[in-house]
Amino acid sequence: MTRDELLAKIQTQLKPARFAHVQRVEATAVRLAAKYGVDQEKASIAGLVHDYAKQRPDQDFIDAIKANQLDPDLLNWNNAIWHGVVGPVFIKAELHIYDEEILDAVRYHTTGNRFMTPLAQIIYMADYIEPGRDFDGVEQARLLTDQDLALAVAYQTKHTLAYLIANNQPVYPKTLATYNAWVPQSQ
Ligand code: GDP
Ligand code: FE
Ligand code: FE
Ligand code: FE
């Protein structure tokens, strides 16, 4: 599939604002890949597909979790977690992308993971700092991402966990595992 064909398929799944976001994540990820010596084509594809499943109905995820015998605890969560963790089911079936490093970058883009390849770290950060993002701390996140990828992953992980707790949100266990793997080490 060419990049244009991939873009056209993604566009059918996403509203215009979300489609614009994934293109900004792609551009940011490709820039970071060049900087950190990561495969730029993988960064491009992972950036474009990371939110592929974001706008699907809940029932699609519930069916996919059951049909693929994924962790049944996933049924206790929602789209925020599903679109990353379960997204690769749809990316494989509909986009025919099977590269496990790309699929892991999608799986981990929301919650992070104890182990993330440089590509997964880049997608995690590109999603957080793409030029359309505007929140307290985004400028610090952008500076850190250009200086030290691991410190940037720790920064995002710490701030996301603090945000969830401040807002009485449930913390997905993998989000907490990411915190334990990345944040204490970053001192
Ligand atoms: P987006 O898809 O580009 O909007 O960004 P993400 O995929 O990174 O995040 C989707 C949503 O998941 C955001 O609102 C995050 O705050 C939220 N999120 C991340 N980790 C957790 C978690 O552990 N629990 C819950 N409830 N939400 C989370
Ligand atoms: Fe996402
Ligand atoms: Fe994110
Ligand atoms: Fe995103």
Side-chain angles (χ1 to χ4, degrees), residues 23-163:
Q23 291 176 90
R24 291 192 299 268
V25 171
E26 180 205 21
T28 304
V30 169
R31 179 180 71 74
L32 292 171
K35 180 183 179 72
Y36 286 111
V38 166
D39 186 318
Q40 292 177 54
E41 188 177 10
K42 285 196 189 194
S44 163
I45 295 168
L48 287 175
V49 304
H50 82 280
D51 277 340
Y52 178 72
K54 179 93 175 180
Q55 291 174 331
R56 299 182 93 93
D58 286 355
Q59 193 62 48
D60 283 17
F61 290 103
I62 293 165
D63 292 346
I65 291 162
K66 291 178 177 169
N68 294 276
Q69 292 158 304
L70 302 183
D71 179 358
D73 175 61
L74 279 167
L75 295 170
N76 299 317
W77 295 86
N78 59 26
N79 177 279
I81 300 301
W82 291 338
H83 81 281
V85 177
V86 188
V89 169
F90 306 107
I91 293 168
K92 284 187 276 192
E94 298 168 18
L95 302 178
H96 313 294
I97 292 167
Y98 304 104
D99 182 303
E100 279 295 329
E101 193 188 7
I102 292 174
L103 298 175
D104 274 348
V106 175
R107 288 186 182 105
Y108 306 150
H109 87 266
T110 305
T111 63
N113 193 59
R114 277 187 296 259
F115 179 74
M116 284 190 274
T117 66
L119 176 69
Q121 295 174 47
I122 282 171
I123 298 302
Y124 185 67
M125 291 318 305
D127 189 34
Y128 196 59
I129 65 159
E130 59 93 344
R133 297 292 199 197
D134 184 16
F135 55 85
D136 282 346
V138 72
E139 282 305 332
Q140 175 70 6
R142 289 182 177 125
L143 287 172
L144 275 174
T145 302
D146 274 340
Q147 288 164 2
D148 184 323
L149 212 39
L151 284 183
V153 169
Y155 181 90
Q156 175 179 172
T157 300
K158 175 176 175 168
H159 285 260
T160 298
L161 184 58
Y163 170 86

